[in-house]
C-alpha cells in the first residue's frame, strides 16, 4: 500500500512539473553554423531525456558484447552446479532409502560436478559405511580432517567407525579431539563423559561434566543428579585410602540426590567409622523415608559397633516403623529377628510380607527359619520349592544387566546413572505368587510313624504251651513246633513290613495340617504295651490242647534218648496260671525300633527278623 502511494505521489509530481514547464514563457534557441533551432522548454526537456536513454542503451550494449565470454562461462558454471546439487539430492534420497549402489553413483556425479563440496564428500563416506566398505569410509573421513570446515565432521565419522569396530581407546581419542575443536559439541561431550566413567576416571569425569553444563548440554536437574552419581563413585573408590575425603564427597552427593541409596550407605558407613552414630542414623533415615532399600537397613543395623543381635533388632524395627508396610522393612525385621533368635517375631514379619508381596527372598528366609528353629528339613525343602516358583526380588537393573551391587555407569552402553532398583523383567515373567495356607506359618509338631505302617507286635509274639515237643528237622537240628511257628511269624512280619501300606488320605491327612493331630511318642508306647498284653492273654486262653499224635511222637523221641526241646522262652504263662512277679518280660520286637542291628545278626541258620527304622 505504501509503495502504491509513493508511485502516485511521484507521478503527480512529474505531471505538475511538466505543467509548470508548459506554462513558462519563451523558447530554447540553439544556433550552430547559421542554423537556428528554437523549441519550447517542455519539448527540449523531453528530447534531452530520450537522448540520455539512448546513450545508456548504447553503453549497455557495448559492455555486454565486451563481457560476453565471462557471462557465458558463468552460465555454464551455474548449470553445472545445478546438475551437481540435483545429483546430491538424489544421492541423499537413495542413501535414506538404503540403496547404496544408486547413492554411490549420484555421489560420484555430485563430487565431479561440485568441486570441494563437503556434502558430496559426506555422501560418499556414508555410502561406503552403508555398503560395508569400512576402509574406504575411514579414508574419506580422514580426508575431511584436512579441511577446517569438515574437521569436526571427519572426527565424528571416525568416532562412529571406532565404536563399530569396538575400539574404545580410538573412539575416546576422537571424541576428545572433537570436544576440543568445538567445545559445544553435544555428542563429543557426552561420549567423553561416558568413556571416562567406564574407565573409572572420576576426577576427569567431574571436569567434563562441568564443561558440558557450562556449554548448556544438559539441564540443572540432570547435572545435579550426574554429579551426585560421580561423587558417590569417587567416594567408593576413596573409601579405604582417603576416608575423610570420601566422607565429604558422599555427604555432598547425599545432599544433591536424597534418593541415591549408595551415597547414603557410603556416608553412613564412613560416619560409623568415625564414631558419629547420630549423623549416620540421620543420613540413613532421610533416605529410607524416600527410597527404602535392604542396604540401608543393613547399614542402620550395624551403625553402632559391638551391639548385640537384640539391639540390632530393636534398631531395625524403629527404622521400619518410619515407613510402615513395606516389603523391604518386613524382610529387614525378619533377618534381624532370626539373628537374634526371636523366631516368633521373624515368623510374623515374614507372614506379613508373604501376604502382601510374596517374593523369592521371603520364601528363602522362611526355609532358613524352619531349619534354624526346628531343624525341620522337610518344611525347609517345602519352602525352597515354593521359592523356585516365586516372583523375583528387586535388584539393580540396567540395559538387561541384573546386578546385586550398584554401579555408576552401565557396562553395556556406558550411560551414567543407568541402574534402577526394580524387579527384573523378561526373566520368568510367568511366575506368580501361590496361595499360602495359614498352617504353613505354624510351628510344626514332632513327626511320628503312622500306626497303619507299623508291624503289630502281637503278630510277632508266638505263644507255645508246655506240651510242645521238639522234632528233628531235615538238616539234623532238633527244633520244636514253637520254633517253626516263630520262623513262620517272622517271615510274615518281614513281608508285612516291606509291603507298602495304602492309606487313604481323608480330611487333614496328606497335608501340612496333620502335624497338629499327631500323638506323642509316649502315648504310642503306652497304647502298644496295652495291645501286647491283650494279645498275649487271648493267645494263652485260646491255645489248643496237644493232640494224641503229638504225645505219641513225644514218647518215641524220649525212647530214642533225644532231649526234649526247652519250653518256650518267650515268658508266656500257661492257660489258667496266675500272674506272678517272677515271670520274664516279653519284648514284642527283637530289638529297639531305632536299632538297625548288625550284620552278624543276619545268620543263615537263624530265622529272619524284621528291622525297623525311623
Amino acid at each position: 500500500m505504501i509503495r502504491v502511494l509513493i508511485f502516485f505521489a511521484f507521478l503527480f509530481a512529474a505531471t505538475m512539473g511538466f505543467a509548470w514547464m508548459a506554462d513558462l514563457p519563451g523558447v530554447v534557441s540553439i544556433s550552430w553554423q547559421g542554423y537556428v533551432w528554437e523549441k519550447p522548454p517542455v519539448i527540449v526537456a523531453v528530447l534531452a531525456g530520450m537522448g540520455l536513454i539512448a546513450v545508456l542503451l548504447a553503453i549497455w550494449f557495448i559492455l555486454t558484447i565486451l563481457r560476453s565470454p565471462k557471462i557465458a562461462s558463468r552460465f555454464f558454471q551455474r548449470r553445472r552446479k545445478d546438475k551437481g546439487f540435483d545429483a546430491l539430492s538424489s544421492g541423499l534420497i537413495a542413501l535414506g532409502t538404503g540403496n547404496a549402489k544408486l547413492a554411490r553413483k549420484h555421489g560420484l556425479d555430485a563430487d565431479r560436478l561440485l568441486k570441494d563440496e563437503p556434502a558430496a564428500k559426506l555422501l560418499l563416506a556414508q555410502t561406503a559405511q552403508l555398503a560395508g566398505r569400512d576402509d574406504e569410509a575411514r579414508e574419506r573421513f580422514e580426508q575431511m580432517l584436512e579441511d577446517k570446515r569438515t574437521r569436526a565432521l571427519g572426527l565424528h565419522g571416525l568416532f562412529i567407525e571406532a565404536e563399530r569396530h569396538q575400539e574404545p581407546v580410538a573412539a575416546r581419542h576422537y571424541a576428545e579431539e572433537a570436544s576440543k575443536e568445538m567445545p559445544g559439541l553435544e555428542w563429543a561431550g557426552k561420549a567423553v563423559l561416558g568413556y571416562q566413567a567406564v574407565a573409572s576416571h572420576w576426577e576427569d569425569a567431574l571436569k567434563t561434566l562441568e564443561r558440558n553444563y557450562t556449554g548448556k548440554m544438559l539441564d540443572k536437574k540432570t547435572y545435579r543428579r550426574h554429579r551426585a552419581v560421580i561423587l558417590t563413585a569417587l567416594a567408593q573408590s576413596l573409601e579405604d585410602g582417603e576416608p575423610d575425603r570420601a566422607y565429604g564427597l558422599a555427604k555432598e552427593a547425599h545432599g544433591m540426590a536424597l534418593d541415591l541409596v549408595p551415597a547414603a550407605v557410603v556416608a553412613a558407613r564412613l560416619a560409623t567409622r568415625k564414631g558419629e552414630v547420630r549423623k549416620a542414623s540421620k543420613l540413613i533415615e532421610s533416605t529410607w523415608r524416600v527410597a527404602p532399600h535392604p542396604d540401608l537397613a543393613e547399614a542402620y543395623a550395624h551403625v553402632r559397633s559391638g551391639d548385640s543381635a537384640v539391639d540390632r533388632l530393636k534398631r531395625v524395627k524403629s527404622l521400619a516403623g518410619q515407613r510402615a508396610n513395606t516389603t523391604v522393612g518386613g524382610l529387614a525385621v525378619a533377618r534381624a529377628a532370626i539373628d537374634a533368635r526371636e523366631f516368633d517375631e521373624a515368623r510374623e514379619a515374614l507372614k506379613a510380607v508373604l501376604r502382601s508381596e510374596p517374593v523369592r527372598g521371603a520364601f528363602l528366609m522362611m526355609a532358613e527359619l524352619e531349619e534354624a528353629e526346628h531343624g525341620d528339613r522337610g518344611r525347609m525343602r517345602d519352602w525352597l520349592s515354593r521359592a523356585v516358583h516365586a516372583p523375583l526380588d528387586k535388584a539393580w537393573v540396567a540395559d538387561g544387566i541384573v546386578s546385586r551391587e550398584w554401579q555408576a555407569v552401565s557396562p553395556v552402553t556406558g550411560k551414567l546413572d543407568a541402574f534402577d532398583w526394580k524387579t527384573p523383567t523378561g526373566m520368568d515373567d510367568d511366575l506368580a505368587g501361590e496361595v499360602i495356607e495359614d498352617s504353613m506359618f505354624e510351628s510344626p509338631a514332632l513327626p511320628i510313624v503312622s500306626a497303619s505302617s507299623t508291624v503289630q507286635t502281637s503278630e510277632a509274639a508266638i505263644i507255645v504251651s508246655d506240651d510242645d515237643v521238639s522234632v528233628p528237622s531235615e538238616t539234623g537240628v532238633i527244633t520244636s513246633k514253637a520254633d517253626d511257628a516263630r520262623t513262620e511269624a517272622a517271615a510274615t512280619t518281614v513281608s508285612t513290613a516291606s509291603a507298602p501300606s495304602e492309606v487313604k488320605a481323608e480330611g487333614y491327612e496328606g497335608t501340612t495340617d496333620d502335624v497338629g493331630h499327631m500323638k506323642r511318642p509316649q502315648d504310642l508306647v503306652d497304647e502298644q504295651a496295652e495291645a501286647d498284653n491283650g494279645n498275649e492273654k487271648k493267645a494263652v486262653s485260646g491255645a489248643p490242647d496237644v493232640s494224641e499224635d503229638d504225645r505219641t511222637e513225644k514218647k518215641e523221641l524220649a525212647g530214642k534218648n533225644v532231649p526234649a526241646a526247652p519250653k518256650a522262652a518267650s515268658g508266656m504263662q500257661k492257660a489258667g496260671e496266675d500272674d506272678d512277679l517272677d515271670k520274664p518280660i516279653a519284648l514284642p520286637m527283637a530289638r529297639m525300633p531305632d536299632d538297625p542291628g548288625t550284620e552278624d545278626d543276619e545268620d543263615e541258620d537263624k530265622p529272619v527278623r524284621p528291622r525297623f527304622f525311623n
Side-chain angles (χ1 to χ4, degrees), residues 511-549:
T511 65
T512 56
D513 297 337
D514 58 351
V515 296
H517 301 274
M518 290 182 178
K519 297 181 180 180
R520 299 181 303 172
Q522 299 87 335
D523 299 338
L524 293 176
V525 174
D526 297 339
E527 293 179 2
Q528 191 68 34
E530 294 176 1
D532 293 343
N533 294 333
N535 293 334
E536 292 173 1
K537 292 180 180 180
K538 290 181 181 179
V540 173
S541 61
D545 298 334
V546 180
S547 61
E548 190 66 25
D549 296 337

Side-chain angles (χ1 to χ4, degrees), residues 463-466 536-545 572-580:
I463 311 302
V464 183
S465 63
D466 290 340
E536 292 173 1
K537 292 180 180 180
K538 290 181 181 179
V540 173
S541 61
D545 298 334
M572 297 293 105
Q573 62 183 4
K574 295 182 180 180
E577 195 176 22
D578 298 335
D579 298 335
D580 56 354

